[in-house]
Amino acid sequence: MSPLVILFIGMAIVVGGVLALRLHAFLALLLGAVVVAGLTSTDQIVAARVAASSVAVVELRPDSEWLVRPGKGRALIAGTNFLIVDGKLTTDKVTLLVQGPDGERPALMRVHVHGAAPAIDPTRTAIIHETVRSAALKDGASSVGDRVASGLGKTATSIGIIIALAAIIGECLMRSGAADRIVWSIRRLLGDQRAPQGFVFSGFVLGIPVFFDTVFYLLLPLAKALRQRTGKHWVLYVLCTVAGATMAHSLVPPTPGPLMVATELGVSIGLMMIGGTIVGLVAATAGYAYAVWADRRWDVPPPDDQVEVVPTTDTDLSVLPPLWLALAPIVLPIALIGWAAVFDLLPDDLAKTWWGDQLLFWGGQLLFWGDKNIALGVSAVIALATFWWFRRLPLKELSAATQTALSSAGVIILITAAGGAFGLVLQQTGIAEVLTTMMPASKAALLPIAFLLTTTIRIAQGSATVAMITAVGIVAPLVAAGDLGYHPLYVALAIGSGSKPIPWMNDSGFWIIGKMSGFSEIQTLRTASAMMSLMGVVGLIVTMLGAWILPLV
């Protein structure tokens, strides 16, 4: 069956299940994943894995030397490799010796074919290592249940601990008074009228080293506390929290998506950070404008907010934690995770100087604490200790607060993991390759093409990062050919902007925003989804204007 048909069936089941049959999101996503997995043939599963993992042969050279193009997820491994012709796995194999990067084109690798080199057409041929080939065949032989469970488990492994710990941190920030302290400090600095702008900027800064989901979890209690103070503007506060964080997530390294795109296109990390910051802040400003409009149009109360809260001005600030302690559970993981990301970017030759050697040594000692799960764990301990110390509660009540946090986190983990399973089985249909063939390859329109390609893949499988990684693999050969008329930076920014439209039910972020904010599926679509789509389009417009006014070539 065509991957497009399978995609439409899966989308109909998820959307129809949630909106028409009123199924719980977890059940709708799980049902959609099972149906998609059942409709996908073994050949499609193997072909999708092979296409995602194969290494293209670029050029044949004398003396049995080949030039090949490895990439993200396409590891070049010495030893026995099988040939792929026209996208189909063959039984023909070669033994390769990796010789290193090509002198003129460092992105390409030189390999030597041991023994007699077969006669091949490099425009139609790729290679795949025997271990990866075996894994692809194993995927094809897996049952529907195993593949759905695998996708669910991988997603839960990635986000489960983070969501649980962040939920504990958020609950403690609210109950200990730490959120109140931060909110009152923001009010003193900006005033209530400018607090939404503060959320946009804070979310953007926090979204650079930390995943969007974690940033949203950390900032949402602050938005809720401010809502309790003002008694209004819940939609505005939520959308402003989303606006900054989501643009940084797709445009500014060291988050995985933009880091990968910049690397593949040969754009320096520093230039990508500057360009991503400019485009991201302009797009986030457009998101803020939409948030103001949406807040005036729709009045949605926060979850469990049955009674309108009357703002108070007589809070005794002396009973609240000091600002430095209130901020510690938020700032500490950002600093630790951010340092771990920066440390990976430090050049090895830094050790040639004394100060560089010391930086690498002492910085390396912090890498353990820079793991996202460890950093959030330390912050959760600080948040729990702050809650206990300033409220002087018995440990039984502390345990009850933790139970409340984990109860809400458990549902979100299940929904998010089911969305991951749905996205994985969609990828196994080969939908990315089908969508690629539908896109033209004109360099004159490469920026909007890269944007639309990324958007299409994002809509199909849900993950912004996966969409960016997939799209850059398709666009990179066009950029490598040169003669664009503008710097590859703009292609990277177009891909990042294209990962914003249109978040829906197969996106884990969609469910996190909706469930944590108390928005229904329809409300999430017309608020957060619409805003992110608008920001993506604005990002593309700014990128195209930059390529025209300041091509940097």
Side-chain angles (χ1 to χ4, degrees):
M1 184 178 293
S2 167
L4 283 176
V5 175
I6 298 176
L7 169 63
F8 291 141
I9 292 174
M11 292 172 65
I13 290 174
V14 173
V15 176
V18 172
L19 301 182
L21 301 180
R22 310 305 299 173
L23 290 177
H24 189 279
F26 172 74
L27 294 178
L29 287 165
L30 200 61
L31 178 60
V34 170
V35 172
V36 169
L39 294 175
T40 307
S41 69
T42 298
D43 290 342
Q44 286 176 309
I45 298 169
V46 174
R49 178 66 181 269
V50 167
S53 306
S54 59
V55 177
V57 179
V58 177
E59 181 182 324
L60 304 183
R61 288 184 170 180
D63 300 325
S64 300
E65 183 176 281
W66 293 355
L67 275 185
V68 299
R69 188 191 304 277
K72 182 69 174 180
R74 303 170 184 269
L76 176 62
I77 307 174
T80 302
N81 283 259
F82 284 82
L83 297 182
I84 301 168
V85 180
D86 294 331
K88 296 182 179 180
L89 192 62
T90 71
T91 57
D92 298 329
K93 53 188 177 181
V94 292
T95 302
L96 301 180
L97 302 175
V98 179
Q99 296 181 313
D102 182 59
E104 297 180 356
R105 291 175 286 179
L108 303 181
M109 296 291 290
R110 296 182 299 112
V111 297
H112 177 75
V113 181
H114 182 69
I120 64 170
D121 180 354
T123 62
R124 301 170 53 200
T125 307
I127 55 176
I128 188 169
H129 193 262
E130 58 181 347
T131 56
V132 184
R133 173 182 178 271
S134 298
L137 295 175
K138 182 179 179 181
D139 285 348
S142 298
S143 66
V144 169
D146 284 344
R147 286 188 283 124
V148 172
S150 175
L152 191 146
K154 288 178 181 177
T155 307
T157 299
S158 175
I159 54 86
I161 295 177
I162 294 176
I163 289 180
L165 292 176
I168 293 174
I169 293 171
E171 187 75 15
C172 291
L173 285 175
M174 291 296 296
R175 296 199 183 198
S176 67
D180 268 346
R181 168 65 73 179
I182 297 172
V183 169
W184 278 102
S185 299
I186 293 175
R187 293 185 72 184
R188 283 179 171 177
L189 181 64
L190 298 176
D192 285 346
Q193 296 299 319
R194 293 195 297 269
Q197 294 95 314
F199 281 126
V200 173
F201 181 75
S202 299
F204 191 89
V205 173
L206 300 180
I208 294 174
V210 181
F211 284 115
F212 166 78
D213 298 355
T214 305
V215 174
F216 186 73
Y217 257 104
L218 290 174
L219 292 183
L220 192 65
L222 311 185
K224 188 171 184 179
L226 191 58
R227 151 73 190 209
Q228 291 174 335
R229 292 284 180 252
T230 63
K232 54 186 177 180
H233 299 316
W234 177 239
V235 172
L236 177 62
Y237 297 148
V238 171
L239 294 187
C240 286
T241 301
V242 172
T246 191
M247 292 312 300
H249 178 74
S250 291
L251 288 173
V252 185
T255 48
L259 182 63
M260 166 67 182
V261 170
T263 302
E264 287 291 298
L265 297 181
V267 179
S268 71
I269 301 302
L271 186 60
M272 185 67 185
M273 292 183 73
I274 295 172
T277 298
I278 295 172
V279 174
L281 287 176
V282 174
T285 301
Y288 168 74
Y290 181 85
V292 172
W293 176 84
D295 184 65
R296 292 173 180 171
R297 184 173 177 84
W298 299 296
D299 182 21
V300 182
D304 302 323
D305 188 12
Q306 304 297 331
V307 181
E308 191 71 16
V309 178
V310 178
T312 61
T313 57
D314 57 354
T315 299
D316 184 4
L317 299 182
S318 65
V319 302
L320 301 180
L323 182 60
W324 68 268
L325 186 57
L327 286 171
I330 300 175
V331 174
L332 183 62
I334 294 169
L336 292 175
I337 297 172
W339 169 249
V342 171
F343 187 83
D344 288 339
L345 301 177
L346 295 178
D348 294 334
D349 58 5
L350 198 63
K352 294 179 179 179
T353 62
W354 179 86
W355 67 269
D357 182 65
Q358 295 299 307
L359 177 64
L360 291 175
F361 174 77
W362 293 108
Q365 308 307 307
L366 292 175
L367 289 183
F368 170 80
W369 304 101
D371 176 84
K372 58 185 180 181
N373 294 318
I374 299 297
L376 266 293
V378 173
S379 296
V381 171
I382 295 175
L384 284 166
T386 302
F387 177 35
W388 175 77
W389 180 260
F390 281 89
R391 289 294 177 259
R392 303 290 180 169
L393 298 174
L395 294 180
K396 184 177 181 180
E397 293 191 31
L398 189 66
S399 177
T402 304
Q403 177 64 37
T404 300
L406 293 179
S407 296
S408 63
V411 175
I412 296 173
I413 291 171
L414 283 175
I415 293 173
T416 306
F422 184 57
L424 175 66
V425 295
L426 279 177
Q427 294 172 38
Q428 291 178 336
T429 65
I431 187 65
E433 288 70 35
V434 173
L435 295 176
T436 300
T437 62
M438 299 170 61
M439 298 293 173
S442 171
K443 288 187 178 181
L446 186 56
L447 295 180
I449 287 173
F451 176 90
L452 290 173
L453 176 62
T454 311
T455 296
T456 305
I457 299 173
R458 164 70 189 271
I459 295 171
Q461 53 79 45
S463 169
T465 301
V466 171
M468 294 174 69
I469 292 173
T470 304
V472 75
I474 299 165
V475 174
L478 299 176
V479 176
D483 196 25
L484 292 176
Y486 47 81
H487 197 281
L489 165 69
Y490 296 108
V491 181
L493 296 175
I495 291 175
S497 298
S499 71
K500 294 297 93 184
I502 302 171
W504 64 290
M505 282 78 166
N506 67 346
D507 174 24
S508 62
F510 174 91
W511 295 107
I512 289 176
I513 294 170
K515 294 302 177 182
M516 289 299 297
S517 305
F519 293 173
S520 68
E521 287 78 16
I522 291 294
Q523 290 168 339
T524 307
L525 284 169
R526 66 189 183 189
T527 55
S529 296
M531 182 188 69
M532 284 190 272
S533 300
L534 172 65
M535 290 192 296
V537 173
V538 171
L540 174 64
I541 294 173
V542 174
T543 298
M544 295 182 70
L545 286 174
W548 176 49
I549 298 172
L550 189 66
L552 299 177
V553 292

